[in-house]
């Protein structure tokens, strides 16, 4: 990095999860400046050290993204630490169960805030800087299927619809928007004994898919990518 060539900057939300770590480390190998957002301060600090070992620079921000009232100010302060912001990758999320007639509404509100509204608030804060770059990108990690409790399905569908419209809003700035929708990914959130982790989509596969989007020429944008396990991860018998 030289004084007349600012480092590429990326905001990684959900950085301490399995996919977030793989994405952060892959970006560090390309010498990005990173803002790593998560909830676990120690995990963030450890990840920042690993990024530094790979040649990247990482700032850490322990933020509860479900608190959207203070989220824009906190994100704006972190973005200001970067030379410039070109990329936002959002892979944060939580889970809330229950049926629609018996659900804990406080838990459902928290899930909706974390899984959808946080993305709206963070992207709104980050987009002016990303658009200014003329070749930026917003990449959101969603989910392949629409199964599960109603609030999970609702937040996934809301995310998909928002990303589709978001692309239309920012495409003329040269900003790419892509929703990556993987099937089973080998992270700690998948704990079924019926599944073979070696046959799942791996976190590094998500990082490779991110670079597929970033490395596309400026004349095209893969706006949605479905990523399925090549072989069924369900164990036989």
């Amino acid at each position: 990095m030289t004084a007349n060539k600012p480092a590429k900057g990326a905001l990684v939300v959900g950085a301490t999860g399995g996919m977030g770590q793989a994405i952060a480390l892959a970006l560090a190998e390309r010498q990005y400046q990173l803002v790593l957002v998560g909830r676990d301060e120690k995990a963030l600090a450890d990840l920042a050290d690993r990024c530094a070992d790979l040649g990247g620079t990482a700032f850490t921000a322990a933020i509860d993204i479900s608190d959207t009232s203070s989220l824009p100010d906190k994100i704006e302060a972190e973005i200001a630490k970067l030379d410039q912001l070109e990329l936002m990758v959002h892979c944060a999320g939580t889970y809330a169960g229950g049926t629609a007639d018996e659900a804990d509404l406080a838990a459902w509100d928290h899930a909706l805030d974390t899984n959808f509204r946080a993305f709206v608030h963070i992207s709104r804060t980050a987009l002016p800087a990303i658009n200014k770059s003329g070749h930026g990108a917003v990449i959101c990690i969603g989910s392949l299927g629409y199964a599960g409790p109603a609030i999970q399905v609702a937040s996934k569908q809301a995310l998909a619809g928002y990303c589709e419209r978001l692309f239309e809003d920012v495409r003329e700035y040269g900003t790419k928007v892509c929703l990556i929708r993987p099937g089973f990914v080998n992270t700690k959130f998948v704990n079924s004994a019926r599944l073979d982790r070696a046959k799942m989509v791996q976190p590094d596969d998500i990082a490779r898919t991110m670079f597929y989007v970033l490395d596309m020429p400026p004349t095209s944008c893969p706006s949605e990518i479905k990523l399925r396990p090549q072989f069924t991860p369900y164990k036989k018998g």
Side-chain angles (χ1 to χ4, degrees):
M1 180 174 64
T2 62
N4 60 356
K5 187 178 181 181
K8 293 181 179 180
L11 173 67
V12 182
V13 183
T16 57
M19 289 184 285
Q21 289 186 51
I23 287 165
L25 294 172
L27 290 168
E29 287 185 321
R30 293 199 183 190
Q31 285 73 58
Y32 272 76
Q33 276 188 331
L34 303 170
V35 169
L36 307 175
V37 177
R39 290 179 297 176
D40 187 327
E41 290 187 10
K42 184 180 184 304
L44 286 169
D46 291 344
L47 180 59
D49 289 341
R50 294 171 66 191
C51 289
D53 290 341
L54 293 171
T57 303
F59 304 99
T60 63
I63 299 174
D64 178 4
I65 64 170
S66 70
D67 181 8
T68 55
S69 63
S70 61
L71 192 53
D73 287 343
K74 290 178 179 178
I75 294 297
E76 187 172 13
E78 296 302 323
I79 290 173
K81 298 175 182 178
L82 300 172
D83 290 353
Q84 60 182 352
L85 180 65
E86 298 183 6
L87 170 65
M88 170 185 164
V89 185
H90 190 95
C91 49
T94 191
Y95 181 87
T99 60
D101 57 331
E102 296 180 349
D104 178 342
L105 289 178
W108 275 28
D109 281 342
H110 180 264
L112 191 59
D113 287 340
T114 303
N115 295 346
F116 176 62
R117 294 183 71 240
F119 176 73
V120 174
H121 284 249
I122 295 171
S123 60
R124 171 63 182 87
T125 305
L127 275 166
I130 293 173
N131 289 340
K132 187 178 179 180
S133 75
H135 51 265
V138 175
I139 295 177
C140 184
I141 312 301
S143 178
L144 185 59
Y146 291 136
I151 195 63
Q152 299 297 124
V153 174
S155 60
K156 292 174 186 177
Q157 290 185 330
L159 205 58
Y162 192 80
C163 285
E164 183 176 359
R165 185 62 235 181
L166 180 59
F167 173 68
E168 297 296 337
D169 288 347
V170 302
R171 64 191 302 180
E172 299 303 330
Y173 294 100
T175 299
K176 298 183 186 300
V177 177
C178 183
L179 175 66
I180 299 174
R181 297 176 54 199
F184 287 116
V185 182
N186 182 15
T187 71
K188 64 182 181 181
F189 295 107
V190 178
N191 56 14
S192 174
R194 299 173 55 207
L195 297 169
D196 182 345
R197 290 188 174 276
K199 292 183 178 179
M200 294 182 191
V201 174
Q202 300 301 309
D204 286 343
D205 299 337
I206 306 296
R208 284 175 174 265
T209 307
M210 171 189 68
F211 284 130
Y212 171 76
V213 177
L214 297 181
D215 293 339
M216 288 293 290
T219 50
S220 60
C221 175
S223 58
E224 181 176 326
I225 299 175
K226 295 180 180 180
L227 203 61
R228 303 177 186 274
Q230 178 64 50
F231 302 97
T232 178
Y234 287 103
K235 297 176 180 177
K236 296 179 180 179

